[in-house]
PDB file of all heavy atoms in Angstrom:
ATOM      1  N   SER A 112     -37.358  79.875 -21.277  1.00 91.00           N
ATOM      2  CA  SER A 112     -36.401  80.988 -21.371  1.00 91.00           C
ATOM      3  C   SER A 112     -37.123  82.313 -21.587  1.00 91.00           C
ATOM      4  O   SER A 112     -36.772  83.337 -20.985  1.00 91.00           O
ATOM      5  CB  SER A 112     -35.414  80.732 -22.515  1.00 91.00           C
ATOM      6  OG  SER A 112     -34.646  79.571 -22.284  1.00 91.00           O
ATOM      7  N   ILE A 113     -38.134  82.307 -22.457  1.00 93.00           N
ATOM      8  CA  ILE A 113     -38.877  83.534 -22.741  1.00 93.00           C
ATOM      9  C   ILE A 113     -39.613  84.013 -21.485  1.00 93.00           C
ATOM     10  O   ILE A 113     -39.562  85.200 -21.131  1.00 93.00           O
ATOM     11  CB  ILE A 113     -39.876  83.301 -23.893  1.00 93.00           C
ATOM     12  CG1 ILE A 113     -39.140  83.163 -25.226  1.00 93.00           C
ATOM     13  CG2 ILE A 113     -40.901  84.422 -23.971  1.00 93.00           C
ATOM     14  CD1 ILE A 113     -38.493  84.455 -25.725  1.00 93.00           C
ATOM     15  N   GLU A 115     -38.961  83.362 -18.351  1.00 94.00           N
ATOM     16  CA  GLU A 115     -38.010  83.837 -17.340  1.00 94.00           C
ATOM     17  C   GLU A 115     -37.428  85.198 -17.708  1.00 94.00           C
ATOM     18  O   GLU A 115     -37.185  86.035 -16.838  1.00 94.00           O
ATOM     19  CB  GLU A 115     -36.896  82.804 -17.164  1.00 94.00           C
ATOM     20  CG  GLU A 115     -37.374  81.531 -16.475  1.00 94.00           C
ATOM     21  CD  GLU A 115     -36.267  80.497 -16.341  1.00 94.00           C
ATOM     22  OE1 GLU A 115     -35.184  80.694 -16.961  1.00 94.00           O
ATOM     23  OE2 GLU A 115     -36.472  79.494 -15.630  1.00 94.00           O
ATOM     24  N   GLU A 116     -37.206  85.418 -18.998  1.00 93.00           N
ATOM     25  CA  GLU A 116     -36.700  86.727 -19.432  1.00 93.00           C
ATOM     26  C   GLU A 116     -37.728  87.820 -19.140  1.00 93.00           C
ATOM     27  O   GLU A 116     -37.374  88.916 -18.668  1.00 93.00           O
ATOM     28  CB  GLU A 116     -36.372  86.677 -20.931  1.00 93.00           C
ATOM     29  CG  GLU A 116     -35.721  87.944 -21.455  1.00 93.00           C
ATOM     30  CD  GLU A 116     -35.337  87.850 -22.927  1.00 93.00           C
ATOM     31  OE1 GLU A 116     -35.490  86.754 -23.523  1.00 93.00           O
ATOM     32  OE2 GLU A 116     -34.881  88.871 -23.487  1.00 93.00           O
ATOM     33  N   ILE A 117     -39.002  87.533 -19.425  1.00 95.00           N
ATOM     34  CA  ILE A 117     -40.057  88.509 -19.152  1.00 95.00           C
ATOM     35  C   ILE A 117     -40.203  88.736 -17.642  1.00 95.00           C
ATOM     36  O   ILE A 117     -40.352  89.871 -17.178  1.00 95.00           O
ATOM     37  CB  ILE A 117     -41.395  88.040 -19.762  1.00 95.00           C
ATOM     38  CG1 ILE A 117     -41.280  87.936 -21.285  1.00 95.00           C
ATOM     39  CG2 ILE A 117     -42.527  89.004 -19.389  1.00 95.00           C
ATOM     40  CD1 ILE A 117     -42.492  87.316 -21.952  1.00 95.00           C
ATOM     41  N   GLU A 118     -40.138  87.642 -16.882  1.00 96.00           N
ATOM     42  CA  GLU A 118     -40.231  87.762 -15.424  1.00 96.00           C
ATOM     43  C   GLU A 118     -39.110  88.650 -14.881  1.00 96.00           C
ATOM     44  O   GLU A 118     -39.357  89.537 -14.039  1.00 96.00           O
ATOM     45  CB  GLU A 118     -40.157  86.379 -14.779  1.00 96.00           C
ATOM     46  CG  GLU A 118     -41.406  85.537 -14.963  1.00 96.00           C
ATOM     47  CD  GLU A 118     -41.255  84.146 -14.371  1.00 96.00           C
ATOM     48  OE1 GLU A 118     -40.107  83.755 -14.103  1.00 96.00           O
ATOM     49  OE2 GLU A 118     -42.275  83.455 -14.185  1.00 96.00           O
ATOM     50  N   ASP A 119     -37.889  88.422 -15.345  1.00 95.00           N
ATOM     51  CA  ASP A 119     -36.754  89.225 -14.862  1.00 95.00           C
ATOM     52  C   ASP A 119     -36.963  90.699 -15.173  1.00 95.00           C
ATOM     53  O   ASP A 119     -36.642  91.575 -14.351  1.00 95.00           O
ATOM     54  CB  ASP A 119     -35.452  88.741 -15.509  1.00 95.00           C
ATOM     55  CG  ASP A 119     -35.009  87.384 -14.988  1.00 95.00           C
ATOM     56  OD1 ASP A 119     -35.508  86.976 -13.920  1.00 95.00           O
ATOM     57  OD2 ASP A 119     -34.176  86.731 -15.647  1.00 95.00           O
ATOM     58  N   LEU A 120     -37.520  90.979 -16.348  1.00 95.00           N
ATOM     59  CA  LEU A 120     -37.766  92.361 -16.743  1.00 95.00           C
ATOM     60  C   LEU A 120     -38.753  93.041 -15.805  1.00 95.00           C
ATOM     61  O   LEU A 120     -38.496  94.154 -15.302  1.00 95.00           O
ATOM     62  CB  LEU A 120     -38.290  92.394 -18.190  1.00 95.00           C
ATOM     63  CG  LEU A 120     -38.820  93.734 -18.695  1.00 95.00           C
ATOM     64  CD1 LEU A 120     -37.732  94.795 -18.669  1.00 95.00           C
ATOM     65  CD2 LEU A 120     -39.393  93.578 -20.101  1.00 95.00           C
ATOM     66  N   PHE A 121     -39.855  92.362 -15.517  1.00 96.00           N
ATOM     67  CA  PHE A 121     -40.884  92.992 -14.684  1.00 96.00           C
ATOM     68  C   PHE A 121     -40.516  92.979 -13.200  1.00 96.00           C
ATOM     69  O   PHE A 121     -40.928  93.876 -12.458  1.00 96.00           O
ATOM     70  CB  PHE A 121     -42.241  92.312 -14.925  1.00 96.00           C
ATOM     71  CG  PHE A 121     -42.904  92.760 -16.200  1.00 96.00           C
ATOM     72  CD1 PHE A 121     -42.862  91.969 -17.336  1.00 96.00           C
ATOM     73  CD2 PHE A 121     -43.534  93.993 -16.259  1.00 96.00           C
ATOM     74  CE1 PHE A 121     -43.454  92.386 -18.512  1.00 96.00           C
ATOM     75  CE2 PHE A 121     -44.135  94.429 -17.439  1.00 96.00           C
ATOM     76  CZ  PHE A 121     -44.089  93.620 -18.572  1.00 96.00           C
ATOM     77  N   ILE A 122     -39.758  91.972 -12.763  1.00 96.00           N
ATOM     78  CA  ILE A 122     -39.255  92.011 -11.389  1.00 96.00           C
ATOM     79  C   ILE A 122     -38.381  93.249 -11.201  1.00 96.00           C
ATOM     80  O   ILE A 122     -38.414  93.905 -10.155  1.00 96.00           O
ATOM     81  CB  ILE A 122     -38.464  90.730 -11.074  1.00 96.00           C
ATOM     82  CG1 ILE A 122     -39.425  89.556 -10.926  1.00 96.00           C
ATOM     83  CG2 ILE A 122     -37.650  90.896  -9.786  1.00 96.00           C
ATOM     84  CD1 ILE A 122     -38.728  88.214 -10.765  1.00 96.00           C
ATOM     85  N   GLY A 123     -37.606  93.591 -12.235  1.00 94.00           N
ATOM     86  CA  GLY A 123     -36.785  94.795 -12.181  1.00 94.00           C
ATOM     87  C   GLY A 123     -37.607  96.067 -12.076  1.00 94.00           C
ATOM     88  O   GLY A 123     -37.104  97.102 -11.613  1.00 94.00           O
ATOM     89  N   MET A 124     -38.871  96.014 -12.494  1.00 94.00           N
ATOM     90  CA  MET A 124     -39.764  97.165 -12.378  1.00 94.00           C
ATOM     91  C   MET A 124     -40.554  97.138 -11.074  1.00 94.00           C
ATOM     92  O   MET A 124     -41.395  98.012 -10.847  1.00 94.00           O
ATOM     93  CB  MET A 124     -40.751  97.196 -13.556  1.00 94.00           C
ATOM     94  CG  MET A 124     -40.130  97.398 -14.911  1.00 94.00           C
ATOM     95  SD  MET A 124     -41.431  97.546 -16.168  1.00 94.00           S
ATOM     96  CE  MET A 124     -40.479  97.398 -17.666  1.00 94.00           C
ATOM     97  N   GLY A 229     -45.812 103.595 -20.650  1.00 95.00           N
ATOM     98  CA  GLY A 229     -44.394 103.598 -20.286  1.00 95.00           C
ATOM     99  C   GLY A 229     -43.876 102.200 -19.976  1.00 95.00           C
ATOM    100  O   GLY A 229     -42.781 101.821 -20.399  1.00 95.00           O
ATOM    101  N   VAL A 230     -44.677 101.413 -19.244  1.00 96.00           N
ATOM    102  CA  VAL A 230     -44.288 100.042 -18.912  1.00 96.00           C
ATOM    103  C   VAL A 230     -44.200  99.193 -20.178  1.00 96.00           C
ATOM    104  O   VAL A 230     -43.228  98.444 -20.379  1.00 96.00           O
ATOM    105  CB  VAL A 230     -45.281  99.432 -17.909  1.00 96.00           C
ATOM    106  CG1 VAL A 230     -45.049  97.916 -17.773  1.00 96.00           C
ATOM    107  CG2 VAL A 230     -45.152 100.096 -16.554  1.00 96.00           C
ATOM    108  N   LEU A 231     -45.202  99.303 -21.056  1.00 96.00           N
ATOM    109  CA  LEU A 231     -45.204  98.498 -22.272  1.00 96.00           C
ATOM    110  C   LEU A 231     -44.080  98.912 -23.221  1.00 96.00           C
ATOM    111  O   LEU A 231     -43.496  98.074 -23.914  1.00 96.00           O
ATOM    112  CB  LEU A 231     -46.560  98.624 -22.972  1.00 96.00           C
ATOM    113  CG  LEU A 231     -47.765  98.073 -22.194  1.00 96.00           C
ATOM    114  CD1 LEU A 231     -49.042  98.213 -23.020  1.00 96.00           C
ATOM    115  CD2 LEU A 231     -47.539  96.625 -21.785  1.00 96.00           C
ATOM    116  N   ASN A 232     -43.758 100.181 -23.270  1.00 95.00           N
ATOM    117  CA  ASN A 232     -42.667 100.653 -24.113  1.00 95.00           C
ATOM    118  C   ASN A 232     -41.330 100.076 -23.635  1.00 95.00           C
ATOM    119  O   ASN A 232     -40.498  99.621 -24.433  1.00 95.00           O
ATOM    120  CB  ASN A 232     -42.621 102.175 -24.102  1.00 95.00           C
ATOM    121  CG  ASN A 232     -41.631 102.726 -25.112  1.00 95.00           C
ATOM    122  OD1 ASN A 232     -41.661 102.385 -26.296  1.00 95.00           O
ATOM    123  ND2 ASN A 232     -40.734 103.593 -24.653  1.00 95.00           N
ATOM    124  N   ALA A 233     -41.132 100.061 -22.303  1.00 95.00           N
ATOM    125  CA  ALA A 233     -39.902  99.496 -21.740  1.00 95.00           C
ATOM    126  C   ALA A 233     -39.817  98.005 -22.036  1.00 95.00           C
ATOM    127  O   ALA A 233     -38.742  97.478 -22.373  1.00 95.00           O
ATOM    128  CB  ALA A 233     -39.846  99.750 -20.237  1.00 95.00           C
ATOM    129  N   PHE A 234     -40.951  97.319 -21.942  1.00 95.00           N
ATOM    130  CA  PHE A 234     -40.990  95.887 -22.238  1.00 95.00           C
ATOM    131  C   PHE A 234     -40.614  95.613 -23.690  1.00 95.00           C
ATOM    132  O   PHE A 234     -39.787  94.745 -23.989  1.00 95.00           O
ATOM    133  CB  PHE A 234     -42.379  95.333 -21.939  1.00 95.00           C
ATOM    134  CG  PHE A 234     -42.676  94.027 -22.616  1.00 95.00           C
ATOM    135  CD1 PHE A 234     -42.122  92.849 -22.147  1.00 95.00           C
ATOM    136  CD2 PHE A 234     -43.506  93.985 -23.736  1.00 95.00           C
ATOM    137  CE1 PHE A 234     -42.386  91.638 -22.779  1.00 95.00           C
ATOM    138  CE2 PHE A 234     -43.776  92.785 -24.371  1.00 95.00           C
ATOM    139  CZ  PHE A 234     -43.209  91.609 -23.893  1.00 95.00           C
ATOM    140  N   ALA A 235     -41.215  96.362 -24.626  1.00 94.00           N
ATOM    141  CA  ALA A 235     -40.978  96.130 -26.048  1.00 94.00           C
ATOM    142  C   ALA A 235     -39.518  96.364 -26.418  1.00 94.00           C
ATOM    143  O   ALA A 235     -38.920  95.585 -27.176  1.00 94.00           O
ATOM    144  CB  ALA A 235     -41.886  97.042 -26.878  1.00 94.00           C
ATOM    145  N   LYS A 236     -38.928  97.407 -25.896  1.00 93.00           N
ATOM    146  CA  LYS A 236     -37.537  97.716 -26.233  1.00 93.00           C
ATOM    147  C   LYS A 236     -36.583  96.695 -25.626  1.00 93.00           C
ATOM    148  O   LYS A 236     -35.534  96.384 -26.206  1.00 93.00           O
ATOM    149  CB  LYS A 236     -37.197  99.133 -25.785  1.00 93.00           C
ATOM    150  CG  LYS A 236     -37.943 100.212 -26.569  1.00 93.00           C
ATOM    151  CD  LYS A 236     -37.497 101.602 -26.180  1.00 93.00           C
ATOM    152  CE  LYS A 236     -38.259 102.677 -26.965  1.00 93.00           C
ATOM    153  NZ  LYS A 236     -38.056 102.547 -28.430  1.00 93.00           N
ATOM    154  N   GLN A 237     -36.911  96.180 -24.452  1.00 92.00           N
ATOM    155  CA  GLN A 237     -36.058  95.168 -23.822  1.00 92.00           C
ATOM    156  C   GLN A 237     -36.140  93.849 -24.567  1.00 92.00           C
ATOM    157  O   GLN A 237     -35.126  93.157 -24.763  1.00 92.00           O
ATOM    158  CB  GLN A 237     -36.481  94.973 -22.365  1.00 92.00           C
ATOM    159  CG  GLN A 237     -35.692  93.902 -21.627  1.00 92.00           C
ATOM    160  CD  GLN A 237     -34.251  94.292 -21.371  1.00 92.00           C
ATOM    161  OE1 GLN A 237     -33.947  95.473 -21.246  1.00 92.00           O
ATOM    162  NE2 GLN A 237     -33.371  93.298 -21.303  1.00 92.00           N
ATOM    163  N   MET A 238     -37.326  93.464 -25.008  1.00 91.00           N
ATOM    164  CA  MET A 238     -37.514  92.159 -25.637  1.00 91.00           C
ATOM    165  C   MET A 238     -37.130  92.149 -27.111  1.00 91.00           C
ATOM    166  O   MET A 238     -36.612  91.153 -27.621  1.00 91.00           O
ATOM    167  CB  MET A 238     -38.976  91.712 -25.504  1.00 91.00           C
ATOM    168  CG  MET A 238     -39.383  91.326 -24.099  1.00 91.00           C
ATOM    169  SD  MET A 238     -38.472  89.910 -23.433  1.00 91.00           S
ATOM    170  CE  MET A 238     -38.957  88.604 -24.540  1.00 91.00           C
ATOM    171  N   PHE A 239     -37.381  93.266 -27.820  1.00 90.00           N
ATOM    172  CA  PHE A 239     -37.213  93.264 -29.279  1.00 90.00           C
ATOM    173  C   PHE A 239     -36.167  94.255 -29.791  1.00 90.00           C
ATOM    174  O   PHE A 239     -35.939  94.321 -30.985  1.00 90.00           O
ATOM    175  CB  PHE A 239     -38.561  93.547 -29.952  1.00 90.00           C
ATOM    176  CG  PHE A 239     -39.599  92.506 -29.652  1.00 90.00           C
ATOM    177  CD1 PHE A 239     -40.579  92.739 -28.700  1.00 90.00           C
ATOM    178  CD2 PHE A 239     -39.604  91.284 -30.305  1.00 90.00           C
ATOM    179  CE1 PHE A 239     -41.546  91.783 -28.424  1.00 90.00           C
ATOM    180  CE2 PHE A 239     -40.558  90.318 -30.030  1.00 90.00           C
ATOM    181  CZ  PHE A 239     -41.534  90.572 -29.087  1.00 90.00           C
ATOM    182  N   GLY A 240     -35.555  95.013 -28.888  1.00 89.00           N
ATOM    183  CA  GLY A 240     -34.521  95.937 -29.327  1.00 89.00           C
ATOM    184  C   GLY A 240     -34.901  97.384 -29.086  1.00 89.00           C
ATOM    185  O   GLY A 240     -36.069  97.773 -29.199  1.00 89.00           O
ATOM    186  N   ALA A 241     -33.885  98.180 -28.769  1.00 90.00           N
ATOM    187  CA  ALA A 241     -34.121  99.591 -28.427  1.00 90.00           C
ATOM    188  C   ALA A 241     -34.688 100.390 -29.592  1.00 90.00           C
ATOM    189  O   ALA A 241     -35.288 101.463 -29.397  1.00 90.00           O
ATOM    190  CB  ALA A 241     -32.821 100.225 -27.939  1.00 90.00           C
ATOM    191  N   GLU A 242     -34.513  99.901 -30.826  1.00 90.00           N
ATOM    192  CA  GLU A 242     -34.983 100.644 -31.994  1.00 90.00           C
ATOM    193  C   GLU A 242     -36.463 100.411 -32.286  1.00 90.00           C
ATOM    194  O   GLU A 242     -37.020 101.064 -33.177  1.00 90.00           O
ATOM    195  CB  GLU A 242     -34.159 100.253 -33.227  1.00 90.00           C
ATOM    196  CG  GLU A 242     -34.351  98.820 -33.711  1.00 90.00           C
ATOM    197  CD  GLU A 242     -33.556  97.787 -32.921  1.00 90.00           C
ATOM    198  OE1 GLU A 242     -32.942  98.172 -31.902  1.00 90.00           O
ATOM    199  OE2 GLU A 242     -33.560  96.609 -33.319  1.00 90.00           O
ATOM    200  N   ARG A 243     -37.105  99.546 -31.530  1.00 89.00           N
ATOM    201  CA  ARG A 243     -38.520  99.259 -31.773  1.00 89.00           C
ATOM    202  C   ARG A 243     -39.401 100.390 -31.267  1.00 89.00           C
ATOM    203  O   ARG A 243     -39.189 100.941 -30.191  1.00 89.00           O
ATOM    204  CB  ARG A 243     -38.954  97.965 -31.076  1.00 89.00           C
ATOM    205  CG  ARG A 243     -38.276  96.685 -31.548  1.00 89.00           C
ATOM    206  CD  ARG A 243     -38.920  96.108 -32.815  1.00 89.00           C
ATOM    207  NE  ARG A 243     -38.642  96.866 -34.008  1.00 89.00           N
ATOM    208  CZ  ARG A 243     -37.498  96.806 -34.674  1.00 89.00           C
ATOM    209  NH1 ARG A 243     -36.516  96.067 -34.252  1.00 89.00           N
ATOM    210  NH2 ARG A 243     -37.340  97.507 -35.765  1.00 89.00           N
ATOM    211  N   ASP A 244     -40.406 100.738 -32.075  1.00 91.00           N
ATOM    212  CA  ASP A 244     -41.442 101.687 -31.670  1.00 91.00           C
ATOM    213  C   ASP A 244     -42.714 100.915 -31.327  1.00 91.00           C
ATOM    214  O   ASP A 244     -42.904  99.772 -31.773  1.00 91.00           O
ATOM    215  CB  ASP A 244     -41.734 102.678 -32.808  1.00 91.00           C
ATOM    216  CG  ASP A 244     -40.542 103.581 -33.091  1.00 91.00           C
ATOM    217  OD1 ASP A 244     -39.863 103.965 -32.125  1.00 91.00           O
ATOM    218  OD2 ASP A 244     -40.301 103.887 -34.276  1.00 91.00           O
ATOM    219  N   ILE A 245     -43.593 101.526 -30.535  1.00 93.00           N
ATOM    220  CA  ILE A 245     -44.872 100.890 -30.225  1.00 93.00           C
ATOM    221  C   ILE A 245     -46.007 101.828 -30.597  1.00 93.00           C
ATOM    222  O   ILE A 245     -45.813 103.043 -30.727  1.00 93.00           O
ATOM    223  CB  ILE A 245     -44.986 100.517 -28.731  1.00 93.00           C
ATOM    224  CG1 ILE A 245     -45.116 101.779 -27.861  1.00 93.00           C
ATOM    225  CG2 ILE A 245     -43.817  99.665 -28.287  1.00 93.00           C
ATOM    226  CD1 ILE A 245     -45.535 101.478 -26.423  1.00 93.00           C
ATOM    227  N   MET A 261     -51.545  96.529 -28.443  1.00 95.00           N
ATOM    228  CA  MET A 261     -50.239  97.130 -28.651  1.00 95.00           C
ATOM    229  C   MET A 261     -49.531  96.467 -29.822  1.00 95.00           C
ATOM    230  O   MET A 261     -49.456  95.240 -29.901  1.00 95.00           O
ATOM    231  CB  MET A 261     -49.370  97.004 -27.402  1.00 95.00           C
ATOM    232  CG  MET A 261     -48.066  97.783 -27.513  1.00 95.00           C
ATOM    233  SD  MET A 261     -46.913  97.489 -26.144  1.00 95.00           S
ATOM    234  CE  MET A 261     -45.922  96.145 -26.801  1.00 95.00           C
ATOM    235  N   ILE A 263     -45.857  96.517 -32.252  1.00 93.00           N
ATOM    236  CA  ILE A 263     -44.472  96.984 -32.326  1.00 93.00           C
ATOM    237  C   ILE A 263     -44.097  97.137 -33.793  1.00 93.00           C
ATOM    238  O   ILE A 263     -44.655  96.455 -34.668  1.00 93.00           O
ATOM    239  CB  ILE A 263     -43.495  96.008 -31.644  1.00 93.00           C
ATOM    240  CG1 ILE A 263     -43.536  94.631 -32.305  1.00 93.00           C
ATOM    241  CG2 ILE A 263     -43.787  95.892 -30.167  1.00 93.00           C
ATOM    242  CD1 ILE A 263     -42.415  93.696 -31.857  1.00 93.00           C
ATOM    243  N   LYS A 266     -39.533  94.436 -37.235  1.00 82.00           N
ATOM    244  CA  LYS A 266     -38.070  94.465 -37.278  1.00 82.00           C
ATOM    245  C   LYS A 266     -37.526  93.923 -38.598  1.00 82.00           C
ATOM    246  O   LYS A 266     -36.354  94.102 -38.896  1.00 82.00           O
ATOM    247  CB  LYS A 266     -37.492  93.677 -36.112  1.00 82.00           C
ATOM    248  CG  LYS A 266     -37.723  92.186 -36.162  1.00 82.00           C
ATOM    249  CD  LYS A 266     -37.002  91.490 -35.017  1.00 82.00           C
ATOM    250  CE  LYS A 266     -37.166  89.980 -35.081  1.00 82.00           C
ATOM    251  NZ  LYS A 266     -36.429  89.300 -33.977  1.00 82.00           N
ATOM    252  N   ILE A 317     -44.479  85.764 -28.503  1.00 92.00           N
ATOM    253  CA  ILE A 317     -43.248  86.530 -28.308  1.00 92.00           C
ATOM    254  C   ILE A 317     -42.065  85.745 -28.877  1.00 92.00           C
ATOM    255  O   ILE A 317     -41.217  86.288 -29.599  1.00 92.00           O
ATOM    256  CB  ILE A 317     -43.005  86.813 -26.806  1.00 92.00           C
ATOM    257  CG1 ILE A 317     -44.197  87.554 -26.182  1.00 92.00           C
ATOM    258  CG2 ILE A 317     -41.715  87.577 -26.611  1.00 92.00           C
ATOM    259  CD1 ILE A 317     -44.407  88.932 -26.705  1.00 92.00           C
ATOM    260  N   LYS A 321     -39.683  86.772 -31.976  1.00 87.00           N
ATOM    261  CA  LYS A 321     -38.293  87.071 -31.642  1.00 87.00           C
ATOM    262  C   LYS A 321     -37.319  86.149 -32.346  1.00 87.00           C
ATOM    263  O   LYS A 321     -36.232  86.568 -32.742  1.00 87.00           O
ATOM    264  CB  LYS A 321     -38.104  86.994 -30.129  1.00 87.00           C
ATOM    265  CG  LYS A 321     -36.747  87.513 -29.657  1.00 87.00           C
ATOM    266  CD  LYS A 321     -36.690  87.638 -28.144  1.00 87.00           C
ATOM    267  CE  LYS A 321     -35.352  88.237 -27.707  1.00 87.00           C
ATOM    268  NZ  LYS A 321     -35.300  88.430 -26.233  1.00 87.00           N
ATOM    269  N   TYR A 322     -37.714  84.873 -32.515  1.00 88.00           N
ATOM    270  CA  TYR A 322     -36.781  83.895 -33.070  1.00 88.00           C
ATOM    271  C   TYR A 322     -37.213  83.311 -34.411  1.00 88.00           C
ATOM    272  O   TYR A 322     -36.585  82.377 -34.909  1.00 88.00           O
ATOM    273  CB  TYR A 322     -36.578  82.756 -32.062  1.00 88.00           C
ATOM    274  CG  TYR A 322     -35.915  83.226 -30.789  1.00 88.00           C
ATOM    275  CD1 TYR A 322     -36.632  83.339 -29.610  1.00 88.00           C
ATOM    276  CD2 TYR A 322     -34.568  83.582 -30.771  1.00 88.00           C
ATOM    277  CE1 TYR A 322     -36.034  83.785 -28.439  1.00 88.00           C
ATOM    278  CE2 TYR A 322     -33.962  84.026 -29.607  1.00 88.00           C
ATOM    279  CZ  TYR A 322     -34.695  84.130 -28.448  1.00 88.00           C
ATOM    280  OH  TYR A 322     -34.094  84.573 -27.294  1.00 88.00           O
TER     281      TYR A 322
END
Side-chain angles (χ1 to χ4, degrees):
S112 297
I113 288 291
E115 290 178 350
E116 185 177 355
I117 298 173
E118 287 177 344
D119 289 343
L120 170 61
F121 282 101
I122 287 174
M124 296 185 192
V230 169
L231 296 182
N232 188 52
F234 161 76
K236 293 185 180 300
Q237 178 69 29
M238 289 298 297
F239 298 101
E242 67 280 7
R243 297 278 72 78
D244 294 323
I245 70 167
M261 188 187 92
I263 60 169
K266 68 175 183 179
I317 303 294
K321 190 170 183 177
Y322 295 107

